[in-house]
Amino acid sequence: MKLGVVGAGSMGAEIALVQALAGFDVLLADRSAEVLKNAMARLAQLLEKRGTGSSDTLRDVLDRIQTTTNLDDFGDREIVTEAVFEDLEVKSSVLQQLTAVLAPTGLIVTNTSTIPISVLASKLEVAWRPNFIGMHYFSPVSRMKLVEVIAAFETSDAAVQRAMALANETGKVPIRVKDVPGFAVNRVFHVFLIEAVRLIEEGVVSVEDLDTACRLGLGHPMGPFELMDATTSSLCLTAQKIMFEAYGERFRPRPLMKQRVAAGLVGGRGGKGWRS
């Protein structure tokens, strides 16, 4: 099966990687050759550190991922995952370009953490909506097993089955989730993050000690501030704003969070965050 991924950031690149590790032919796209080159270098480093988990060599896996800056090259892809910036207009533009080149039997997947799938589906021609679905992967994709599978109002049962099968075939554990803002996991997670930031505002505990407490007391693999630094506070703030608009007060972003994001203290690769 020929797969495609649009967006070579940390999420998209690792989605392509887990698909290649499962033996699929993957086409990875982004706007610039430089971004793609850097993404492939990161994947090579990741494989060198963790191994392939099979008899495949690092080169075997990487050779299954081809790159392009032109979405017209996706015409032969059977399933394409959109993993671009978490913005409705940016995602809509990419999705519309994909519908213009994919075969009518193709499946388009959006990897979004907060935007309702039906909202994105409304940007597509009616004929494409049955073959459009959400698959919310978790970061880092190469390690996190869970995938939330979210059908829009007009998503077909066949599309749901294809998405569930893709998750299983790439070593993930899929769960069905209703199409609501934030889906399931993020609604729980961001209430937790908001309270964590409130504890820091009130001087109850230090950032480092709260991360330790959550690892050792709750069994979390990473503390809340480690995780925000890994995924970026700016992305977390965007998610909280979307859910605050949808659900109200319990998702109101904390003032300290907004202040730090405005100051550029968002974390990410090499960036200064809560713990760096």
Side-chain angles (χ1 to χ4, degrees):
M1 184 161 58
K2 292 185 176 182
L3 306 179
V5 178
V6 183
S10 57
M11 291 295 291
E14 290 204 19
I15 291 171
L17 177 63
V18 298
Q19 293 176 351
L21 284 166
F24 294 113
D25 170 357
V26 187
L27 183 60
L28 177 63
D30 209 293
R31 291 177 297 179
S32 80
E34 186 67 20
V35 169
L36 290 164
K37 179 181 177 181
N38 291 338
M40 294 302 294
R42 292 198 308 273
L43 295 182
Q45 291 174 349
L46 183 61
L47 285 175
E48 286 174 357
K49 182 185 297 185
R50 299 182 187 174
T52 66
S54 70
S55 60
D56 288 337
T57 67
L58 180 153
R59 183 46 51 195
D60 290 334
V61 174
L62 293 181
D63 281 348
R64 294 188 194 118
I65 305 175
Q66 302 302 309
T67 62
T68 183
T69 58
N70 188 352
L71 293 188
D72 289 344
D73 294 337
F74 278 70
D76 65 343
R77 301 291 112 174
E78 298 168 62
I79 302 178
V80 177
T81 301
E82 168 273 307
V84 300
F85 184 67
E86 190 78 349
D87 177 90
L88 178 59
E89 295 309 315
V90 173
K91 286 181 175 290
S92 298
S93 175
V94 169
L95 295 171
Q96 289 162 5
Q97 291 178 68
L98 288 173
T99 62
V101 298
L102 291 181
T105 54
L107 179 68
I108 299 179
V109 173
T110 180
N111 175 57
T112 175
S113 58
T114 52
I115 302 173
I117 307 307
S118 295
V119 172
L120 287 165
S122 72
K123 307 297 182 180
L124 303 181
E125 294 180 4
V126 173
W128 262 103
R129 295 176 189 175
N131 289 349
F132 179 67
I133 195 166
M135 293 180 70
H136 177 211
Y137 293 81
F138 290 79
S139 182
V141 178
S142 58
R143 293 173 54 190
M144 302 294 277
K145 287 286 197 179
L146 183 66
V147 176
E148 291 179 310
V149 176
I150 312 103
F153 293 124
E154 299 172 77
T155 302
S156 68
D157 290 340
V160 172
Q161 293 309 311
R162 290 176 75 183
M164 298 289 279
L166 177 63
N168 285 316
E169 289 166 6
T170 53
K172 302 303 179 186
V173 178
I175 62 170
R176 287 289 306 275
V177 179
K178 184 179 178 180
D179 185 24
V180 295
F183 313 128
V185 173
N186 266 344
R187 286 178 62 175
V188 175
F189 177 55
H190 283 282
V191 170
F192 168 71
L193 287 187
I194 289 166
E195 188 62 23
V197 175
R198 183 183 281 111
L199 288 172
I200 303 306
E201 289 177 330
E202 295 174 355
V204 174
V205 67
S206 71
V207 164
E208 292 78 9
D209 283 350
L210 186 55
D211 275 350
T212 298
C214 290
R215 288 197 309 273
L216 302 184
L218 298 178
H220 292 185
M222 298 174 70
F225 297 98
E226 291 176 290
L227 195 49
M228 280 192 281
D229 280 353
T231 60
T232 74
S233 291
S234 53
L235 182 59
C236 291
L237 179 60
T238 296
Q240 289 170 17
K241 286 178 176 178
I242 290 171
M243 287 185 283
F244 175 61
E245 182 178 352
Y247 303 115
E249 195 60 33
R250 68 186 187 272
F251 289 104
R252 181 186 291 276
R254 297 304 305 165
L256 180 59
M257 180 75 142
K258 292 191 286 187
Q259 183 181 10
R260 290 181 64 88
V261 170
L265 304 176
V266 299
R269 192 177 296 104
K272 186 171 178 58
W274 293 96
R275 294 184 56 113
S276 57

